[in-house]
Structures are given as C-alpha cells and as structure tokens.
Amino acid sequence: MDDDKKERHADRMRRKKAVVDAAIEKAQEERGIVILITGNGKGKTTSAFGTLFRALGHGHQVGVVQFIKGTQSTGEVIYLQQQNPQLRYHAMATGFTWNTQNWDADKAAADEAWAHCKEMLQDDSLNLVVLDEITYMLKYNYLDTAEVVNAIRHRPFMQTVIITGRGAKPELVELADTVSEIRDEKHAFHAGVKAQAGIDF
Ligand code: ATP
Ligand code: MG
C-alpha cells in the first residue's frame, strides 16, 4: 500500500473509532436483558449454549430448561452435566407432538417444565436462564403467552433470559431486547448428509 492510501486508511479508522467510542459512551445502563434467537436456520440452541459457556467462564450461575427433548441428550448437555453436576437443568419429560401425538401428555409435560422456568425466573442467584425451544409451547398453545411474557418481564433485574425456537410470536419479539433471526440459506441435511453427533446433537 502506498503512503497516501495508508494515510487515508488511518484517517477512516480514526473516524470509525470516534463513532464506536461515542456509542460505547452512550450505553451506560446495566441490567439483565432478553435475547431471542429465532428463525429457520441452524444455530439457535448452539448460540444459547455458547452464551451459557461464556457466563460460566465468568463464574455466573445459570439455569436451563429445554422444552423439546429428543431421544438422545445433546453433546452440550452431556458435557455440562459432567463438568457441573449441580447445573440447574430441566428437560421436558416427553418428546413433542410429532413423536407422541398426545396433547394431554404434552400439556402436562409442558406445565411441569414451565413450573421449573417460573422458579428460575424468580431466583435472583441465577444470572442467566436459557428457555430452549419455548417458542413452540406458545405457538401450539401448550403455554399461555401472556403468562410467559409476564413471568419473564418480572424476573430479577440483573437476570438475562435467552429464548430459542422457530416461529417466535410477536409478543416475544416485542419483549426481547436483542432479537436475532437465523435464516436458513442451506443445510447439509437437505443435501442428504445425516445428522452427526458433535455437530447436530
Ligand atoms: P442447533 O441445535 O444446531 O443450534 P437449532 O437450535 O437452530 O440448531 P432446531 O430447530 O432446534 O435448530 O433443530 C435442531 C436440529 O435440527 C439440529 O440437529 C440441526 O442441525 C437441525 N436443523 C436446524 N436447522 C435446520 C434446517 N434449516 N434444516 C435441517 N435441519 C436443521
Ligand atoms: Mg434448537
């Protein structure tokens, strides 16, 4: 790069730094937030667990409720339970509609899982609570949207909640402070690649 270009680059970076510094200066509030990871692309649950590992690294207390449990435990849950046997973790006691096709059993399991959520959402020792796949419980009316929104809204001031799942209702989008929609551009499964341990579960 010639000197002139280098100088123009340095100048652009100086202006960029001023903008970034001003934005950092402006964001002074400290409180827990609601993060919603939705959309049809891969990466919602793994994103939630990525944040959870980040929190654990800082010695924070975390809780997890998973609403849709497959037949096998996922690698992240196996690892967490090995490393941290006291982890506050609950998984819904049944699979879900397309496996069980039994609304009453699913409803009872959803209510039970929700009771764990409510406890966590009132526990100010928890810095982070992950509600994995809870969007489906609202979408199919297993849980009451207003009740869920209300419990999340009244959680401890410094507690952060991560919600994952496709098809988030507008009430969740409105409630959340940070919303990421993961778009499905391509997925190896659709090209015939089998789901793999350590990658997909
Ligand atoms: P992950 O747990 O990998 O972060 P996710 O939480 O975004 O995925 P879910 O809808 O919960 O997605 O589905 C989990 C499983 O389905 C994973 O095995 C994932 O690879 C697979 N999956 C996710 N998105 C897609 C997609 N668009 N097409 C096919 N399979 C998908
Ligand atoms: Mg998921």
Side-chain angles (χ1 to χ4, degrees), residues 32-99:
I33 60 170
V34 177
I35 302 172
L36 170 64
I37 315 280
T38 190
N40 294 331
K42 171 175 162 61
K44 297 174 290 295
T45 298
T46 45
S47 164
F49 278 86
T51 305
L52 186 129
F53 281 108
R54 185 174 272 181
L56 288 173
H58 287 284
H60 294 178
Q61 299 298 313
V62 303
V64 180
V65 177
Q66 291 200 296
F67 278 88
I68 297 180
K69 196 176 150 50
T71 44
Q72 305 153 287
S73 288
T74 54
E76 62 274 23
V77 170
I78 296 169
Y79 182 75
L80 272 169
Q81 288 182 323
Q82 282 166 353
Q83 299 302 311
N84 192 342
Q86 296 88 305
L87 177 78
R88 295 274 295 273
Y89 174 79
H90 182 81
M92 193 162 129
T94 156
F96 191 51
T97 37
W98 50 87
N99 283 328

Side-chain angles (χ1 to χ4, degrees), residues 31-35 114 117-118 120-122 131 144-161 163 169-177:
R31 62 176 171 87
I33 60 170
V34 177
I35 302 172
W114 174 240
C117 298
K118 277 196 289 195
M120 293 183 189
L121 292 169
Q122 287 170 9
L131 307 179
D144 181 61
T145 300
E147 188 187 337
V148 170
V149 166
N150 198 48
I152 296 173
R153 195 163 267 148
H154 292 98
R155 72 195 184 282
F157 188 73
M158 289 306 293
Q159 186 181 83
T160 285
V161 174
I163 298 167
K169 282 196 168 181
E171 289 91 330
L172 290 180
V173 175
E174 206 211 311
L175 170 71
D177 299 282

Side-chain angles (χ1 to χ4, degrees), residues 40-47 76 132-133 136 166 184 187 189-190 195 199-201:
N40 294 331
K42 171 175 162 61
K44 297 174 290 295
T45 298
T46 45
S47 164
E76 62 274 23
D132 190 38
E133 324 291 357
Y136 303 99
R166 299 177 191 206
D184 177 32
H187 193 291
F189 178 71
H190 300 301
I199 304 294
D200 296 291
F201 58 88

Side-chain angles (χ1 to χ4, degrees), residues 93-156:
T94 156
F96 191 51
T97 37
W98 50 87
N99 283 328
T100 62
Q101 290 132 30
N102 181 337
W103 200 87
D104 289 328
D106 286 344
K107 169 70 180 148
D111 284 342
E112 206 238 333
W114 174 240
H116 287 268
C117 298
K118 277 196 289 195
E119 245 174 57
M120 293 183 189
L121 292 169
Q122 287 170 9
D123 183 345
D124 65 7
S125 72
L126 291 176
N127 306 86
L128 176 67
V129 175
V130 173
L131 307 179
D132 190 38
E133 324 291 357
I134 197 173
T135 57
Y136 303 99
M137 300 301 120
L138 308 186
K139 193 170 160 194
Y140 298 115
N141 296 313
Y142 287 94
L143 297 177
D144 181 61
T145 300
E147 188 187 337
V148 170
V149 166
N150 198 48
I152 296 173
R153 195 163 267 148
H154 292 98
R155 72 195 184 282

Side-chain angles (χ1 to χ4, degrees), residues 180-195:
S180 295
E181 172 146 3
I182 301 187
R183 190 167 56 85
D184 177 32
E185 182 154 331
K186 267 184 171 187
H187 193 291
F189 178 71
H190 300 301
V193 182
K194 199 173 163 181

